[in-house]
Amino acid sequence: MLRRVEIASFRSCENLVLTDLEGVLALVGRNGAGKTNILRAIEWASKTAVSTQPSSADMIQLISRAPLPAVTLYFETSNELFEYSVAQVPMAQEGGRAQFSVGLVEQ
């Protein structure tokens, strides 16, 4: 079960922490409040768990941001808490263009 979500610099979510997620079935808020971006951040981190290459659409939206995006998900299974963090990190500067990679830390 997803227990906690931390999102930094992901689209409109600058520094967001969601806690006490047990029993949460929906995100409710006005238009443009960032509900979809919360779900996209969770999806981005989840895609990285399966493949270290997020979609090109995700990369185009995220590469131009500074500071770079990071998402941390906390799961509980069988009374154990697992932390899963994904962050986009600059790798090199070539010809005036920065090259980026997605880093994964599992704890």
Side-chain angles (χ1 to χ4, degrees):
M1 175 176 288
L2 186 60
R3 292 292 186 185
R4 179 181 172 105
V5 177
E6 296 175 1
I7 304 170
S9 301
F10 188 95
R11 298 179 181 230
S12 65
C13 302
E14 291 301 322
N15 190 16
L16 178 69
V17 177
L18 302 174
T19 59
D20 300 323
L21 298 176
E22 184 174 354
V24 172
L25 299 175
L27 296 175
V28 179
R30 61 178 171 69
N31 285 347
K35 302 176 300 291
T36 300
N37 289 336
I38 292 169
L39 297 175
R40 285 186 175 163
I42 294 169
E43 177 189 35
W44 179 65
S46 300
K47 281 182 182 178
T48 306
V50 177
S51 167
T52 57
Q53 297 300 318
S55 74
S56 58
D58 288 337
M59 293 304 287
I60 289 168
Q61 298 257 343
L62 299 173
I63 277 179
S64 61
R65 294 192 53 94
L68 297 171
V71 177
T72 302
L73 307 176
Y74 296 84
F75 294 95
E76 184 178 352
T77 60
S78 303
N79 296 322
E80 290 186 70
L81 189 63
F82 296 94
E83 177 183 339
Y84 175 79
S85 296
V86 177
Q88 190 174 6
V89 295
M91 295 302 290
Q93 187 85 17
E94 285 185 20
R97 288 184 24 190
Q99 302 296 314
F100 292 88
S101 178
V102 175
L104 169 65
V105 177
E106 293 184 72
Q107 297 179 342

